Amino acid sequence: MSKYSTTWLKVSEPVPHVVHVELSRYWREYGRTFETLMRAHAAGEDIRAVVVSSAASKIFTAGLDLKSAAGLALVASDTEHDRARASLALRNTILEFQTAIGSPDRCPFPVIAAVHGPVVGLGVDIIAACDVRYAASNATFSIKEVDVGLAPDIGTLAHLPKVMGNLSAVRELAYTGRFFSAAEAHSFGLVSKVVDGGHDGVVAAALELARDIATKSPVAVTGAKHLINHARDHSVEENLSYTATWNAAALMTTVHMHHLSSYLS
């Protein structure tokens, strides 16, 4: 898996079928890495789960890196074109940004975020697009954009109302930018587990979860992810009908019968 590593992202396979992506910075490389993993999966690479963590030992992310911020500011301050064209260019850049950071949501395999230390601004966007979120007990979170005069625009406001199911809390955190603890994140439903300690402990717990997922039928896991995402974006009635159609095809497999026979025996 190291062949998928880049200057700012380390990619490895710590256990069979489990990919570990360690972040440094540069959102475009993050998006390209996941697009590469999706293409590899479609071509037959047996990827069953991915863990995303930080390469830094004390922090998950402090938010948008300065080089990327400078690039966005350059687009926003374009004086060579009229305001409409400059706005269109900036919109296209934001859409590209959203596509990159939202790539885990489009993956056919589960993506597990393992966070520690400060998770600020863009860090919340990153984990909001993941399937499962584990936090070290030393993790702190902030939807920080309000303090720089912006509404979050890369995924936090699209995902968190559905992830947390608590609009009051989402509004409070988005309007104030205040830091909140791993324990609060757990109570809000943002993370499903808090692991005592820091980087190493939470990464180990996430890899253990990924290892367990990798032992399950990839057809079943991929189907479950697809149907959960569909349920999130559609009504109950629509999802039930869609699930019936999906499983009418998915159940036509000898793997299913093998697992059922093993379970019954």
Side-chain angles (χ1 to χ4, degrees), residues 184-209:
E184 278 190 283
H186 187 261
S187 71
F188 292 147
L190 177 58
V191 301
S192 55
K193 187 172 185 177
V194 177
V195 181
D196 286 339
H199 173 275
D200 293 348
V202 74
V203 170
L207 287 172
E208 182 60 32
L209 174 63

Side-chain angles (χ1 to χ4, degrees), residues 9 17-18 39 70 76 97 115 122 145 149 181 197 206-207 223 251 257:
L9 295 172
H17 314 305
V18 173
R39 286 195 298 270
F97 208 152
V115 303
L122 184 62
E145 287 85 348
S181 67
L207 287 172
L251 290 173
M257 295 307 299

Side-chain angles (χ1 to χ4, degrees), residues 12-101:
S12 60
E13 187 177 16
V15 296
H17 314 305
V18 173
V19 176
H20 187 193
V21 177
E22 296 176 84
L23 308 177
S24 181
R25 56 178 179 172
Y26 291 128
W27 56 270
R28 282 190 173 92
E29 288 195 16
Y30 179 78
R32 282 195 290 264
T33 295
F34 274 99
E35 293 296 335
T36 298
L37 292 175
M38 282 187 272
R39 286 195 298 270
H41 179 271
E45 188 93 54
D46 196 3
I47 301 170
R48 301 191 182 186
V50 173
V51 171
V52 173
S53 69
S54 172
S57 61
K58 296 183 179 180
I59 184 171
F60 181 72
T61 175
L64 186 63
D65 65 86
L66 293 178
K67 184 173 181 179
S68 295
L72 288 173
L74 184 63
V75 175
S77 61
D78 180 7
T79 58
E80 293 185 10
H81 302 93
D82 66 38
R83 289 187 179 275
R85 286 176 172 79
S87 294
L88 183 59
L90 182 56
R91 179 179 184 273
N92 289 337
T93 300
I94 294 171
L95 288 173
E96 182 188 3
F97 208 152
Q98 291 172 345
T99 299
I101 299 304

Side-chain angles (χ1 to χ4, degrees), residues 212-226:
D212 185 24
I213 292 171
T215 66
K216 310 302 182 184
S217 162
V219 173
V221 173
T222 292
K225 173 169 182 172
H226 184 74

